[in-house]
Amino acid sequence: MASKLSKAFRALAFGFVALFAASSLPALAQQPTSVNPTAQSVKEEQLLQALKPGAPVAGRISIPDKQAANLIQPGRDWRAFNQETLPKLGAYSLIGIAFVLVAFYALRGKIRIDAGLSGMKILRFGALDRFTHWLTATSFIVLAITGINVTFGKFVLAPVMGPEAFAAWAGFAKLLHNYVGFAFMAGVVLTFLIWVKDNIPNAVDLQWFAAGGGLLGKGHPPAKRFNGGQKIIFWSVVVGGFLLSLSGWHLLFPTAESIEHVQWQATLHGTTAFVMIAIIIAHIYIGSVGMEGAFDAMGSGEVDLNWAKEHHSLWVEDVMKGKRPAGNAAPQPAE
Ligand code: HEM
């Protein structure tokens, strides 16, 4: 009797177990059997690692945007650069160049034409030269102002203008920056094409540098169409302009690139921009108020013959001998 009861009990127990197992089958089938689920979870240690730059925690995702797999997007380095290092670099370069120019003016004053005005004019830059110069120059100045606004606007303008007016101006400035960039790119390409042949470094430039460009002492070292200092300006505009254009293009059209790549382009763009702005401020000073007679070259295109003889003696000789055209080459009586 006892053994019959025990058999019935075991059969009942087996039935229950089988029933329970059958009802649990779908759930069990969904569990990965070969993987320990806890090993797949993000560990605290990994999260702490993610706080260190360059060690992102990435999970698994099935959507096309691979960036979405990162728990924390990379960018700590870049944010620190953009919010601290770049404004510092920008401020140092702008204050630095202002200091250099004030010191230069205090030491040298305005650079005069030693022999005085001759009353004779010589064509220095034709229409294409001037068009190219002013296309590059005006677009660069607009880009510099609207670009500086990105770095300094919120510290300098926003407190003065108020948040709404600053937001409206910053939105407009950004649009302007994006579109005017194309005019600058065209200007840089034209600048390179029309002036590269006169900007290849040569032995005359070494003499010019050895004499300090005649900037501080008396007298003027000989120079061809462009002197050593101008060649530095030319190559800064060409190389700097190329880097700005390339990185700017990537920032305008960042499709299918990683976030690090875009951040790298932004770093290159900002750094090159501030270096170039400082160089160009010095150029604008010398090309306008810093040197008597210089602006005419890019204004009317004609400069005083004595200015040309003092600053570009070898170029004047070549033009006089008919070795090279300078627009209408021969000196013209001033009107
Ligand atoms: C108001 C602003 C500017 C003024 C008054 C100015 C003035 C001048 C002048 C007078 C020259 C001819 C120098 C000569 O006869 O030898 C010149 C040349 C040149 N400018 Fe400008 N410029 C200005 C802005 C710019 C800007 C923004 C750029 C480029 C981003 C630029 C790039 C050049 C280059 C590459 C040359 C030829 C190389 C040289 O002479 O240094 N300029 N500029």
Side-chain angles (χ1 to χ4, degrees):
M1 182 69 187
S3 80
K4 268 189 185 170
L5 260 176
S6 150
K7 268 187 188 165
F9 181 75
R10 265 187 270 156
L12 203 63
F14 181 76
F16 272 122
V17 170
L19 201 67
F20 176 73
S23 68
S24 308
L25 260 181
L28 284 173
Q30 282 167 12
Q31 294 282 332
T33 48
S34 58
V35 182
N36 175 359
T38 50
Q40 292 295 306
S41 65
V42 176
K43 298 251 172 62
E44 205 172 287
E45 176 65 20
Q46 281 177 293
L47 286 169
L48 285 171
Q49 283 296 322
L51 295 174
K52 294 178 189 156
V57 171
R60 283 174 303 162
I61 49 159
S62 56
I63 57 171
D65 180 6
K66 299 284 175 266
Q67 292 296 337
N70 288 334
L71 183 65
I72 299 171
Q73 297 294 350
R76 242 167 260 273
D77 284 349
W78 181 74
R79 199 170 52 215
F81 172 83
N82 208 38
Q83 294 184 351
E84 290 158 32
T85 316
L86 189 65
K88 269 190 210 154
L89 177 92
Y92 291 153
S93 63
L94 296 181
I95 294 168
I97 196 65
F99 181 78
V100 167
L101 291 179
V102 168
F104 180 70
Y105 183 78
L107 273 171
R108 180 67 160 92
K110 183 170 182 156
I111 301 171
R112 300 273 173 198
I113 302 174
D114 291 340
L117 291 171
S118 71
M120 303 275 273
K121 295 269 181 188
I122 181 168
L123 185 71
R124 182 145 169 78
F125 291 115
L128 179 63
D129 294 310
R130 281 176 286 142
F131 168 77
T132 302
H133 178 265
W134 290 116
L135 173 70
T136 317
T138 47
S139 55
F140 182 86
I141 291 168
V142 170
L143 292 169
I145 292 170
T146 50
I148 286 174
N149 185 60
V150 174
T151 307
F152 291 121
K154 68 176 173 219
F155 307 121
V156 179
L157 291 182
V160 183
M161 296 170 80
E164 269 126 44
F166 178 71
W169 148 247
F172 169 73
K174 181 198 173 294
L175 269 184
L176 206 61
H177 197 88
N178 289 355
Y179 286 103
V180 172
F182 295 103
F184 178 68
M185 291 180 207
V188 170
V189 171
L190 275 174
T191 299
F192 176 76
L193 292 177
I194 63 170
W195 287 340
V196 66
K197 64 179 189 313
D198 290 319
N199 278 288
I200 309 296
N202 56 35
V204 181
D205 303 326
L206 293 180
Q207 263 178 284
W208 189 89
F209 282 116
L215 288 175
L216 286 177
K218 281 267 162 212
H220 300 279
K224 295 200 169 211
R225 193 185 191 201
F226 293 113
N227 61 39
Q230 288 177 299
K231 287 181 185 177
I232 291 183
I233 301 290
F234 171 84
W235 286 109
S236 303
V237 170
V238 168
V239 176
F242 174 74
L243 292 178
L244 282 176
S245 305
L246 193 76
S247 51
W249 191 277
H250 277 96
L251 294 173
L252 275 175
F253 308 110
T255 44
E257 287 167 12
S258 68
I259 284 184
E260 287 101 324
H261 188 79
V262 176
Q263 289 169 350
W264 196 86
Q265 299 291 348
T267 303
L268 178 68
H269 198 76
T271 312
T272 312
F274 277 115
V275 172
M276 256 189 92
I277 290 170
I279 293 174
I280 290 300
I281 289 176
H283 167 76
I284 292 175
Y285 170 76
I286 287 288
S288 57
V289 291
M291 182 188 279
E292 183 183 9
F295 185 82
D296 295 341
M298 282 303 170
S300 64
E302 293 180 328
V303 290
D304 189 88
L305 190 57
N306 280 350
W307 180 91
K309 280 182 178 166
E310 285 176 14
H311 295 288
H312 300 277
S313 55
L314 302 175
W315 172 74
V316 175
E317 275 174 28
D318 283 354
V319 172
M320 293 295 196
K321 287 181 190 156
K323 279 193 188 164
R324 62 166 303 145
N328 54 349
Q332 308 284 307
E335 282 157 25

